[in-house]
Amino acid sequence: MTLELEQQIKSAGGWLKKYRHQASSTGCQMRFNLFLPPQANEGNVPVLYWLSGLTCNEDNFMQKAGAHRLAAELGIALVAPDTSPRGDAGKDAQGRDIMDADRYDLGQGAGFYVNATEPSWSAHYQMYQYIVDELPALLAEHFPITDRKAIAGHSMGGHGAISIALKNPDQYASVSAFSPITNPSRVPWGETALTTYLGTDKTQWQQYDSVELLNRITDPTGYPHLLVDQGLADEFLEEQLKPQQLETAARQSDYPLTLRRHPGYDHSYYFIASFIDDHLHFHAHHLFDDPSDA
């Protein structure tokens, strides 16, 4: 599979590299950012996937979170894919238009990390397959990374990170999220996206709903530990995020969740930048066989 390096930038002793490639899962050009710490010059390193939120792309986390310095110290690669299929100027390799919507919470920039089944969207909106299968295989083929990986995200990306980890517990050493959409089948953002991409049968929505997935777990042994940070001044807290639903479901299944609430913090990257070091240390503890090595 051909990778095109668009830009590389020296950062914190490592390299931020921006790539594009033709993805088979989404049927179009996809972009991702990769930060390789200096330890990657000497051998393979574990990797943390970051899934961004609504309206974001592959650049937001790398530019705003301030994660490179500590990732370089810990020896962890960071991968930030785009949030949806966009292709080249909104078109796929055959020159066909990639579906979009005239609203910020649907379409390009809002892929919601599901495999769309509705005919208008299914040709390209296969973000779950891209994140879980295609992108990791691509990275393993071309870059000095180990098979140890963790996953994290923000808002829509927090929903994606948690639901993906719960569906694939053997693939991820740990999972974390900032301000995640925890119960998408019961909030406006999720209802809009899941109806559009999956149809009106709500039983199909449950496979991507973190609360519903937690409710199915009878024995959490072997599942990745989960860290969630939530700002209490978040304007979307009550209507869209509902962390209390995640907390209740985790308590009932005895799932290893740490949910931290922070007075005064909102939904922005200022919040993420304030606590990203905690998340990197959390993932390092689980990614390295001997946490003291981190």
Side-chain angles (χ1 to χ4, degrees):
M1 187 178 298
T2 302
L3 272 176
E4 180 182 344
L5 177 63
E6 296 190 308
Q7 189 178 11
Q8 58 180 353
I9 304 165
K10 189 75 172 178
S11 178
W15 287 95
L16 171 63
K17 297 172 180 281
K18 300 185 176 187
Y19 289 96
R20 59 184 286 171
H21 70 106
Q22 180 67 30
S24 59
S25 54
T26 62
C28 68
Q29 289 281 327
M30 294 293 294
R31 288 179 167 84
F32 66 89
N33 282 354
L34 168 67
F35 174 74
L36 286 173
Q39 293 86 339
N41 293 325
E42 306 299 328
N44 292 353
V45 296
V47 60
L48 172 63
Y49 289 82
W50 175 272
L51 306 184
S52 291
L54 293 166
T55 75
C56 292
N57 59 30
E58 70 279 5
D59 288 328
N60 296 76
F61 175 75
M62 295 296 188
Q63 293 176 350
K64 298 179 179 181
H68 293 177
R69 177 193 56 78
L70 185 54
E73 291 180 15
L74 296 170
I76 297 174
L78 305 174
V79 177
D82 200 353
T83 53
S84 62
R86 302 179 205 251
D88 285 325
K91 296 185 180 294
D92 66 13
Q94 286 72 45
R96 299 171 299 190
D97 289 336
I98 296 172
M99 278 291 291
D100 200 3
D102 189 20
R103 52 189 297 169
Y104 78 94
D105 58 352
L106 197 65
Q108 294 179 31
F112 233 76
Y113 306 106
V114 303
N115 283 340
T117 55
E118 286 296 283
S120 297
W121 299 89
S122 60
H124 302 106
Y125 282 75
Q126 302 295 311
M127 288 300 296
Y128 176 88
Q129 183 182 349
Y130 178 72
I131 298 297
V132 174
D133 297 321
E134 185 169 3
L135 184 57
L138 180 70
L139 293 168
E141 179 181 356
H142 292 279
F143 299 104
I145 60 173
T146 71
D147 59 1
R148 297 286 290 171
K149 59 180 182 284
I151 191 167
H154 171 232
S155 193
M156 176 186 73
H159 136 75
I162 299 172
S163 61
I164 284 172
L166 292 177
K167 289 165 67 68
N168 303 275
D170 58 331
Q171 292 194 32
Y172 300 95
S174 50
V175 55
S176 73
F178 289 86
S179 316
I181 304 170
T182 67
N183 200 183
S185 62
R186 297 180 180 271
V187 300
W189 276 340
E191 290 172 349
T192 296
L194 297 175
T195 299
T196 301
Y197 298 142
L198 303 178
T200 58
D201 181 359
K202 294 186 178 181
T203 62
Q204 298 303 309
W205 301 3
Q206 294 177 3
Q207 63 182 307
Y208 299 108
D209 188 306
S210 297
V211 169
E212 296 292 339
L213 291 169
L214 276 175
N215 285 333
R216 299 176 185 178
I217 296 174
T218 56
D219 180 3
T221 303
Y223 280 79
H225 285 238
L226 169 58
L227 170 64
V228 173
D229 277 327
Q230 175 62 60
L232 294 183
D234 191 319
E235 61 270 39
F236 305 113
L237 175 59
E238 295 303 324
E239 183 180 25
Q240 304 282 10
L241 307 180
K242 300 189 180 300
Q244 67 275 11
Q245 300 293 92
L246 188 74
E247 190 172 44
T248 298
R251 185 182 304 115
Q252 290 174 349
S253 63
D254 199 28
Y255 195 91
L257 163 68
T258 299
L259 173 59
R260 309 190 304 184
R261 294 174 169 87
H262 302 274
Y265 286 93
D266 61 14
H267 199 71
S268 72
Y269 264 87
Y270 295 109
F271 175 45
I272 296 170
S274 297
F275 297 100
I276 190 62
D277 283 7
D278 291 351
H279 285 241
L280 290 172
H281 280 298
F282 166 78
H283 290 297
H285 176 79
H286 294 283
L287 282 168
F288 291 93
D289 290 336
D290 180 357
S292 63
D293 289 345

